[in-house]
Every structure is written in C-alpha cells, then in structure tokens.
Amino acid sequence: MRNLVHILFWGMCVLAVASCRKPSAMEFFVLNEDRGEDGLYRYELDLSDSLATYDVYLYSRIDEQSSTLSQLDDIPMAAYWTAPDGEVYKDSFYFPVRDAKKGFFSSEYKLLYREGIAPVQRGKWRLHIDVAQYEGVPVLRGLGVAYKTIKD
C-alpha cells in the first residue's frame, strides 16, 4: 500500500510539472478608458524563447453603424517596441476600418499585425500603441494584442 501511495504521489508531481508549461498564445486587452495618461495602449510581451518566432494580432471593436464605417479611412497607428535593453523601435501602420466582422451597431476586428517576428533580443518586450484620435476617426472600444509562439 505504501508503494502505491508513493507511485501516485510521484505521478501527480510529474503531471503538475508538465502542466506548468508556458502557453503557446497570450492575449491582453486594454479598454479605451484604461490607456496610459499619454493616451497609449500598453502591453508587455514575453518573447524569450530562442527557438521560436511570433505572430502578433490586434483586435478591437468599434461601436458605430457599419454604413458609417464603410465611408471612413483606415486609422493611423504607431507601435513603439521597447527591447529588453531599452532600445526603442517605431513602426507606423494603418488599422483597416472596413475589414471587420460587421454587425448593425458594432464591428469586430482581428488582424494579423506582424507575422514570424524573430526578435533581435530575447526577453520581455514592451509594446505601446498610439492610435490617432481626431475628428472623423472612429473611437475604438479598446485595443487587444494577442501573440502566438511558432516553433519550427
């Protein structure tokens, strides 16, 4: 009986260690009203796996009639990537307003922002995204970032 208890105990320990693996995908969502004082959406991404590349997605929702959105231009955005050593890289791009899963009063967005990222430095990166906010640009409900680890 004592041997059976030991076997069960060690078996549970092995299962517990195996279940502590880091997930292959992570996502974070920041509501519009929870942006930083400077208006930036802020995230931290763990890009430390030296054997992986990463796909990064952006997602959001805009509460506006789809007929109104179809007449608007894409939203200018700027991403500021801060490497573990503090070096900052800027990336400017446009968020496609017309490429949405449309409802009558709300549209959902999910776009592949960058594919196959192989960071110059491995570790925790900070990502701050600046979304243009001026008249004629729809207001995002918030902005989410999701990233997936790709192993070859």
Side-chain angles (χ1 to χ4, degrees):
M1 182 68 168
R2 187 170 184 200
N3 284 340
L4 180 59
V5 170
H6 284 265
I7 291 170
L8 288 173
F9 172 76
W10 288 109
M12 290 184 348
C13 288
V14 168
L15 285 174
V17 169
S19 67
C20 290
R21 286 188 7 206
K22 188 171 157 184
S24 64
M26 297 289 293
E27 66 180 70
F28 309 96
F29 189 81
V30 176
L31 290 169
N32 188 23
E33 58 267 15
D34 293 335
R35 291 174 296 154
E37 289 180 14
D38 54 6
L40 299 177
Y41 292 91
R42 300 175 179 281
Y43 312 92
E44 185 174 279
L45 288 69
D46 186 356
L47 308 178
S48 56
D49 189 337
S50 62
L51 301 175
T53 59
Y54 301 89
D55 290 349
V56 180
Y57 297 84
L58 298 177
Y59 61 97
S60 188
R61 179 178 293 215
I62 297 175
D63 294 329
E64 188 74 51
Q65 289 185 347
S66 59
S67 60
T68 303
L69 290 176
S70 66
Q71 300 171 20
L72 297 175
D73 292 330
D74 295 339
I75 302 171
M77 294 188 177
Y80 299 91
W81 290 87
T82 306
D85 72 354
E87 183 81 22
V88 178
Y89 302 87
K90 182 182 177 186
D91 180 23
S92 298
F93 61 100
Y94 289 88
F95 192 85
V97 173
R98 290 177 217 94
D99 297 345
K101 181 180 175 186
K102 295 180 174 111
F104 186 73
F105 286 111
S106 185
S107 295
E108 295 178 6
Y109 297 85
K110 181 176 183 182
L111 76 119
L112 178 59
Y113 161 61
R114 292 291 177 253
E115 183 176 24
I117 293 175
V120 293
Q121 294 177 36
R122 299 300 172 149
K124 295 202 179 193
W125 284 69
R126 287 176 297 169
L127 173 60
H128 299 166
I129 299 180
D130 187 12
V131 177
Q133 309 229 351
Y134 51 83
E135 191 174 325
V137 174
V139 176
L140 303 177
R141 185 180 285 179
L143 186 65
V145 170
Y147 65 101
K148 183 167 58 170
T149 304
I150 309 297
K151 299 261 188 163
D152 291 330

